[in-house]
Amino acid sequence: MRGFFGELCERKELLAILIARNIKIRYKNSALGFFWTLLAPLFMIAIYSVFARIMRWNLGREDFLPFLVVGIVVWQYLAMSLNDSLSAISGNANLIKKTAFPRHILPVSTVLANGVNFLLTFAVLLVFLLIVKADFQALWTLPLVLATHAALCLGLALAFSAASVFFRDTEHAVGVGLLAWFFMSPVFYSMDLQMAILPERLSAAVYLNPMSGILSAYRFALMSEPIAGGESVWLSFAVAWALLPAGLGLFRATEKRFADEL
Amino acid sequence: MSDKPAITMREVTKAFRLCPKGGRTLKALALEWVRSRRGRRVFHALDKVSFDVMPGETLGIIGANGSGKSTLLSIAAGAMTPSSGTVTARGTVSSLLELGAGFHPDLTGRENVFLYGAIMGLSRRTMIRRFDAIVDFAGIASHIDQPVRHYSSGMVVRLGFSVAVEVDPDILLVDEALAVGDADFQAKCLNKMREFKRRGKTMLMVSHDLSAIQAISDRILLLDQGKVLGVGDAEGMVGRYRVLAARQGAAAGQAREWGTGEIRIEDVIFSDGTGARTDTFRWGESLTAEIRWRAATRVENPVFGFSVSDRDGRLLYGNNTQIEGFAVPQAEGEGRVRFTLHPLCLGTGAYLFSFSVHSPDHKTNYHRLDHRFPIAVEADKATAGPCYMPCRWSGAQP
């Protein structure tokens, strides 16, 4: 792990250029370019608010719209990071085959480029929350939540970027897996609902899903929404952080064969 | 200058796992698992390759397609990891592997230049300093802020060469750089490489352009099917490669053996003026071929002959014992007959020798070996055509 961060620091210029490259490529040939980062969440909030009203979809809560939007913005960072990670290595075959540099910079740069995107979206989200329901009493917890969220994205991105070099199936599996994971995570329902399904003594097990804890923690930080199950949320944090060395381990074990397979 | 090699390879082997028939399916993977490591089919792209390149030296690498040249460069660049063996490179390495292939088509030339510099580990400040020189050398100043996908292939190559050279590495790896670009740019590249040499930089280069690689390399390494056939002076190795290529060409269909079999040509041994056995010769020196024959029955007045053709099998020259009035009254048991060509009047290239033994009236061919013996010839001058006749010009001064 020390080598991992050490090399990232050493090659921070390369990392910065790759992050900038990933962002630029996303908006190539688009007239509005980077503005989409701000426009997309605005449109999303508008669309959900209209449809939630028409469908009378509110889970019996007054603050359903901010609740839902926080969930979706948070989820999107994970989903986009993982989707981009699939081509982080295999999409740079020429660089991998011809030059030597720490390979993990590539998936890290896709996660961080999406992180830049996420933070800008997040800024829009904060403004929105200020307008509709500002309750930032627990905002001090946000840095830890953001870091944990990023660690989870990074661990999985490392694993999937390596796996997709060897198996094209990874792409399909990640697509299906993300959909299942989305519905298993409290994005558009609350943790109480999820916990109610399990017998009481096992209810803490819902936090084995790291996104359960992360989503709950974001809502705690941004909306002061109490965390269901209290302390057991740390289980999610532990899982998220454990996935980072695990993903890195898988990546390190296979990176020597990238140039052969591509 | 250090006396330690700039690049050292020791027993470097690179094995690729071959994909199972029908691709990597679940069934194939399961089978592979069951068969374990021993049953895996592998292909050795490099087989125990060892060599040193001293600082300031230029080592050329030649060999047929698929002989492992590019794998070797990828390993030297550190992009590929050898299956076994050790590689050491002292100093920064820049690779001209498939020029510009690492460029991203959606980024501008400028962005790609900085990306490449960052990959090579150069600071942004250094790149800003060298940026103008890069653009100048590539000669694409007007397009530098256009996305690379709008570049012509020549422009991509020029920018690729320029950036790889201008990052000023200690070791430069060049893969087929000379095969691309127009004549003007090729000359510029060659100049740049010579300048590189003068400044004591180390180069490792791969090319199919034998005369270019011979001109710039101090030594040449000849690869064949992943094995080192030899490392040595440029001229000798290029000659050996020509023979090898001609032999493979001969094996590929031109070689033919036929005859009635009363006398058989068992073998033919080629040697140079010093009597040393070789298949590489120099123009103007001598070539001796010794034909070793064996006769199953007694044969009266056999005629031994030979011919030389180019690599495409076109006849250039033929001669025999009858034409030269060298009588072989009879043949029985086994024996030898030899001839010497002196001076050898062939230009640089590979040639195929054919040998025959037939009756004086040419009606019975006892044994013929067509296009079976390749040789290579090195000439001091690049004359045109296969035949190089000594030539002296004269004329009155105006």
Side-chain angles (χ1 to χ4, degrees):
Chain A
M1 279 308 280
R2 190 179 295 163
F4 172 72
F5 289 113
E7 275 178 304
L8 288 182
C9 281
E10 223 170 85
R11 304 303 296 271
K12 55 181 181 296
E13 291 201 342
L14 175 59
L15 185 59
I17 286 180
L18 285 172
I19 292 172
R21 183 185 81 159
N22 286 332
I23 294 174
K24 272 176 199 153
I25 289 167
R26 171 164 306 157
Y27 298 110
K28 64 172 182 191
N29 292 338
S30 72
L32 290 175
F34 206 62
F35 276 108
W36 278 114
T37 313
L38 304 175
L39 286 177
L42 285 178
F43 279 122
M44 187 189 72
I45 292 169
I47 290 166
Y48 276 108
S49 76
V50 168
F51 277 89
R53 186 155 300 170
I54 293 174
M55 310 288 288
R56 295 176 202 287
W57 182 29
N58 58 20
L59 295 176
R61 1 180 359 143
E62 240 169 69
D63 59 353
F64 180 66
L65 186 61
F67 173 90
L68 177 66
V69 170
V70 168
I72 286 175
V73 167
V74 166
W75 180 263
Q76 274 188 340
Y77 178 33
L78 177 84
M80 289 171 80
S81 293
L82 298 195
N83 276 324
D84 284 359
S85 75
L86 293 170
S87 59
I89 300 294
S90 47
N92 287 299
N94 279 321
L95 288 183
I96 298 279
K97 279 157 91 170
K98 303 299 176 193
T99 51
F101 61 94
R103 307 310 194 202
H104 59 259
I105 285 187
L106 289 170
V108 169
S109 74
T110 61
V111 171
L112 292 185
N114 276 304
V116 171
N117 223 21
F118 172 60
L119 288 179
L120 288 166
T121 311
F122 209 79
V124 177
L125 179 66
L126 287 178
V127 172
F128 167 72
L129 288 175
L130 269 174
I131 296 167
V132 297
K133 189 201 187 219
D135 192 349
F136 292 161
Q137 284 173 48
L139 201 61
W140 57 274
T141 57
L142 193 59
L144 175 66
V145 184
L146 282 171
T148 308
H149 191 195
L152 174 67
C153 293
L154 211 51
L156 293 177
L158 284 165
F160 291 147
S161 65
S164 68
V165 172
F166 300 96
F167 304 104
R168 276 294 141 91
D169 317 49
T170 313
E171 208 174 299
H172 307 290
V174 166
V176 175
L178 272 174
L179 186 63
W181 196 7
F182 177 79
F183 283 105
M184 288 194 295
S185 304
V187 178
F188 61 86
Y189 55 84
S190 64
M191 277 308 287
D192 322 354
L193 277 174
Q194 208 178 31
M195 288 178 126
I197 298 168
L198 292 173
E200 201 163 325
R201 61 195 170 82
L202 288 178
S203 63
V206 294
Y207 284 115
L208 279 174
N209 171 1
M211 281 311 276
S212 292
I214 288 172
L215 283 160
S216 301
Y218 270 112
R219 284 172 180 144
F220 174 66
L222 300 172
M223 303 167 65
S224 297
E225 162 112 359
I227 293 173
E231 301 278 294
S232 28
V233 73
W234 291 111
L235 182 58
S236 279
F237 279 56
V239 172
W241 282 102
L243 282 173
L244 177 55
L248 182 63
L250 182 75
F251 191 87
R252 291 285 199 207
T254 51
E255 64 180 343
K256 286 187 174 171
R257 284 173 51 206
F258 288 171
D260 305 0
E261 293 285 336
L262 288 170
Chain B
M1 211 176 285
S2 147
D3 53 350
K4 273 190 174 170
I7 306 171
T8 307
M9 289 214 187
R10 284 285 169 274
E11 301 267 307
V12 169
T13 297
K14 181 70 190 175
F16 289 107
R17 285 186 207 168
L18 292 180
C19 278
K21 238 182 256 167
R24 190 188 260 133
T25 59
L26 217 53
K27 181 184 152 202
L29 280 173
L31 279 174
E32 199 174 276
W33 185 267
V34 172
R35 284 183 196 139
S36 83
R37 288 176 170 270
R38 279 174 302 137
R40 235 171 237 163
R41 302 196 312 137
V42 292
F43 160 73
H44 283 89
L46 290 176
D47 195 359
K48 292 185 178 156
V49 170
S50 301
F51 64 87
D52 293 312
V53 190
M54 299 309 284
E57 188 183 30
T58 299
L59 182 74
I61 299 168
I62 56 176
N65 287 333
S67 58
K69 303 185 296 291
S70 295
T71 306
L72 189 70
L73 280 197
S74 286
I75 287 177
M80 233 178 224
T81 320
S83 311
S84 65
T86 56
V87 186
T88 338
R90 292 176 186 85
T92 56
V93 182
S94 174
S95 54
L96 278 173
L97 312 179
E98 286 170 31
L99 289 173
F103 288 166
H104 197 290
D106 288 320
L107 296 182
T108 65
R110 182 188 301 270
E111 287 162 348
N112 271 306
V113 166
F114 280 99
L115 174 59
Y116 189 83
I119 285 175
M120 300 309 301
L122 272 84
S123 73
R124 196 173 164 76
R125 206 183 297 156
T126 317
M127 283 309 287
I128 289 171
R129 253 203 331 269
R130 295 185 187 161
F131 184 74
D132 290 337
I134 293 171
V135 178
D136 263 8
F137 188 80
I140 55 161
S142 56
H143 285 75
I144 195 67
D145 287 312
Q146 293 289 310
V148 163
R149 92 188 110 89
H150 291 164
Y151 284 25
S152 72
S153 53
M155 286 158 74
V156 172
V157 164
R158 261 150 44 205
L159 189 61
F161 182 91
S162 175
V163 71
V165 171
E166 293 292 340
V167 300
D168 200 31
D170 301 317
I171 300 168
L172 183 66
L173 309 175
V174 189
D175 191 356
E176 285 301 346
L178 303 169
V180 286
D182 53 20
D184 186 41
F185 191 73
Q186 279 188 26
K188 255 170 103 179
C189 291
L190 268 173
N191 271 336
K192 197 80 192 177
M193 288 198 233
R194 290 207 184 91
E195 183 200 315
F196 232 72
K197 271 184 86 159
R198 270 200 303 281
R199 284 164 49 209
K201 306 274 185 173
T202 310
M203 274 196 284
L204 200 58
M205 69 179 287
V206 163
S207 181
H208 285 289
D209 183 344
L210 293 178
S211 53
I213 201 168
Q214 187 177 334
I216 203 158
S217 303
D218 300 310
R219 284 188 306 153
I220 282 183
L221 181 144
L222 174 58
L223 271 182
D224 183 46
Q225 292 172 16
K227 291 195 174 69
V228 178
L229 283 192
V231 192
D233 71 289
E235 189 181 281
M237 283 300 139
V238 167
R240 276 185 69 180
Y241 175 56
R242 285 208 168 98
V243 174
L244 187 76
R247 184 170 293 138
Q248 277 158 359
Q254 290 177 24
R256 209 157 79 93
E257 177 176 2
W258 53 291
T260 52
E262 286 88 340
I263 311 182
R264 287 183 55 83
I265 296 168
E266 302 276 290
D267 198 6
V268 181
I269 311 292
F270 288 87
S271 52
D272 61 15
T274 65
R277 201 172 157 164
T278 180
D279 44 17
T280 311
F281 298 89
R282 290 196 56 81
W283 171 85
E285 294 177 0
S286 80
L287 175 154
T288 300
E290 181 175 274
I291 302 165
R292 303 184 172 178
W293 53 263
R294 182 190 295 275
T297 55
R298 185 185 162 98
V299 179
E300 301 294 335
N301 294 320
V303 175
F304 289 88
F306 72 92
S307 68
V308 193
S309 23
D310 66 10
R311 278 183 58 188
D312 300 325
R314 278 187 293 264
L315 178 66
L316 304 175
Y317 173 72
N319 204 335
N320 64 30
T321 49
Q322 194 178 36
I323 295 169
E324 294 291 341
F326 178 77
V328 186
Q330 65 214 3
E332 192 170 17
E334 54 181 76
R336 297 165 182 196
V337 51
R338 71 182 74 79
F339 65 87
T340 297
L341 300 176
H342 184 79
L344 187 64
C345 294
L346 292 169
T348 299
Y351 301 92
L352 294 167
F353 267 83
S354 307
F355 292 93
S356 64
V357 49
H358 50 80
S359 61
D361 56 3
H362 286 253
K363 282 199 174 131
T364 316
N365 285 296
Y366 304 125
H367 193 205
R368 293 190 76 113
L369 293 168
D370 294 344
H371 306 132
R372 275 284 284 272
F373 299 89
I375 63 154
V377 177
E378 275 298 326
D380 55 347
K381 291 176 196 136
T383 53
C387 171
Y388 176 3
M389 297 179 236
C391 172
R392 187 174 300 141
W393 292 81
S394 61
Q397 293 288 325

